[in-house]
Amino acid sequence: AWAGQRVALNLSGVELSDLHRGDTVSHPGELRSSYMVDARLQLLQSAAKPLADRTHLRLHLATQEVPVTVALLDRDELLAGDWAYVQLRATERFIACPGDRFVVRALSPVITVGGGRVLDQRPRRHKGRDPEILDALAVLDEGEPAEQLARFLDLRGFAGLDPVETQAALGVPLEEARRQLQLAVRNGDALVTERKTQLHHTPGVVTRLEALALETLAAFHAEHPLRKGLGLEELRTKFPRYVEARLVEFVLQRLEAEGQVVFERDLVRRSDFTVTLSADDEDLRRRVLGCVGERGYAAPTREEIADALGEGAESLQPVLDLLVSRGALTRTKEGFFFATEA
């Protein structure tokens, strides 16, 4: 079958009641439904009145019919015969691909008022008048595939793009999508952040996450100067929830390869960090070692050490952790401390 041809599909294992007007058939994973699209919209010359921002219309795209709100991205109203970049927002999911043509009709009276072309099928919700978004949509509207891919990567941000999503975004065969991604990597516009799925992100996204990781570790070291590092799982929780774990893993491995962070078992630290004891901490270290050493095999708990030294148990914890990590003390799972020599 080819574009424009009417065909019959023999669908096994599907009930008639499962099918509805507007349903779309595709290979698994190739298309994703969305609540909104970015588009270029032209109002008919015959339109009775200008189209105001946030007007409710009915979108007709392929055989789909979806109520949408039209968000004008650079003006308050669209005059008859003019065109503008818009975001079409729905309350139900629908399928679209860049390049798809559509018609919009008024709710009452039910007449056609304009039409246009989809530019981005998975946009973020735009707020206000953003010149950068308008520049990006202009490239998606008229740019070359390489330029469009660079913009799509920017627009996807932390989500990134894989070959299948690139295929849908650029409207090209899968092999061409892979070729365009390879060119983007060679040109420095993209990084492969996961080999298995061939997920790509912009270098800017990776750089921002690297900076976040380093800033988080610096703050931790400043707050806990006696701890050797931050737990890996705890560090992962410091990243925004919408950043996938595989991207966080790539960022941390990249920082390790660059020599900016060091992994020690399940701890992470900045490579320029070393545990440095203050004069008070050094004095406390000697007193703790003396107290535990004197007890011999009558191993004390943290609270017993604190009582003997006249210190708070919580304030004692960093020094105890440091001495355990250095091998001077041995801590049992019940919480007793032995001098390691003993």
Side-chain angles (χ1 to χ4, degrees):
W2 57 86
Q5 186 182 24
R6 183 178 295 242
V7 299
L9 295 178
N10 181 10
L11 302 176
S12 60
V14 179
E15 297 296 328
L16 181 61
S17 59
D18 295 331
L19 302 175
H20 306 89
R21 175 177 174 157
D23 286 352
T24 302
V25 179
S26 77
H27 290 292
E30 283 195 359
L31 298 180
R32 293 186 184 182
S33 59
S34 173
Y35 286 105
M36 65 186 79
V37 297
D38 287 345
R40 173 176 171 146
L41 172 66
Q42 179 150 13
L43 197 60
L44 290 178
Q45 188 70 49
S46 58
K49 60 180 181 180
L51 181 70
D53 187 25
R54 303 301 193 275
T55 295
H56 299 293
L57 296 175
R58 190 162 290 276
L59 170 69
H60 294 262
L61 195 159
T63 59
Q64 300 170 102
E65 185 177 335
V66 185
V68 295
T69 300
V70 181
L72 300 176
L73 301 180
D74 66 347
R75 66 195 73 189
D76 295 324
E77 64 177 16
L78 181 61
L79 302 178
D82 285 352
W83 68 269
Y85 294 129
V86 302
Q87 188 165 78
L88 304 177
R89 300 167 181 167
T91 57
E92 60 187 77
R93 288 184 172 275
F94 61 98
I95 289 285
C97 287
D100 284 353
R101 304 283 178 167
F102 63 86
V103 167
V104 287
R105 310 192 80 192
L107 302 182
S108 179
V110 183
I111 57 173
T112 300
V113 296
R117 184 162 54 90
V118 175
L119 301 176
D120 187 355
Q121 84 282 27
R122 288 180 55 206
R124 295 191 291 268
R125 189 181 182 93
H126 305 313
K127 299 178 181 179
R129 310 286 190 239
D130 189 340
E132 291 186 5
I133 293 297
L134 295 172
D135 289 344
L137 293 180
V139 173
L140 300 187
D141 188 12
E142 300 177 340
E144 296 298 320
E147 297 174 304
Q148 292 178 340
L149 177 56
R151 291 295 180 150
F152 271 121
L153 283 165
D154 280 334
L155 291 169
R156 293 297 179 267
F158 294 115
L161 279 175
D162 62 24
V164 172
E165 292 170 328
T166 302
Q167 175 188 17
L170 299 182
V172 296
L174 185 58
E175 286 307 312
E176 175 62 15
R178 289 195 176 101
R179 191 182 75 85
Q180 289 292 342
L181 286 170
Q182 290 169 358
L183 285 174
V185 172
R186 284 204 293 268
N187 294 336
D189 294 326
L191 293 169
V192 181
T193 53
E194 188 183 39
R195 294 288 175 186
K196 184 178 179 180
T197 62
Q198 286 295 291
L199 188 64
H200 292 67
H201 287 85
T202 65
V205 163
V206 174
T207 298
R208 288 200 297 275
L209 292 178
E210 286 180 334
L212 173 61
L214 292 173
E215 290 167 6
T216 300
L217 288 173
F220 176 82
H221 293 324
E223 187 176 354
H224 305 284
L226 300 186
R227 291 177 61 177
K228 295 181 68 175
L230 177 61
L232 180 57
E233 291 304 319
E234 185 178 352
L235 175 58
R236 285 176 175 146
T237 67
K238 305 298 183 182
F239 289 83
R241 285 182 295 176
Y242 50 78
V243 178
E244 292 192 21
R246 54 187 174 176
L247 180 55
V248 172
E249 194 70 26
F250 172 83
V251 167
L252 295 179
Q253 289 176 356
R254 183 177 164 93
L255 286 173
E256 183 185 30
E258 293 171 350
Q260 298 194 66
V261 302
V262 176
F263 288 86
E264 293 184 13
R265 297 184 181 178
D266 60 343
L267 297 179
V268 189
R269 63 174 172 83
R270 287 179 58 128
S271 58
D272 57 2
F273 171 75
T274 54
V275 175
T276 303
L277 293 174
S278 66
D280 289 342
D281 289 332
E282 178 61 30
D283 176 64
L284 186 57
R285 182 191 71 82
R286 287 195 298 268
R287 292 164 59 205
V288 167
L289 285 175
C291 175
V292 176
E294 289 171 1
R295 299 292 182 97
Y297 297 111
T301 63
R302 181 186 70 170
E303 285 69 23
E304 290 171 338
I305 300 171
D307 288 342
L309 299 181
E311 300 284 346
E314 290 296 329
S315 62
L316 204 64
Q317 190 65 52
V319 173
L320 289 171
D321 290 340
L322 177 65
L323 289 171
V324 170
S325 69
R326 288 183 172 178
L329 294 182
T330 296
R331 176 170 42 206
T332 70
K333 63 181 181 180
E334 297 83 7
F336 295 102
F337 290 87
F338 285 89
T340 300
E341 291 178 354

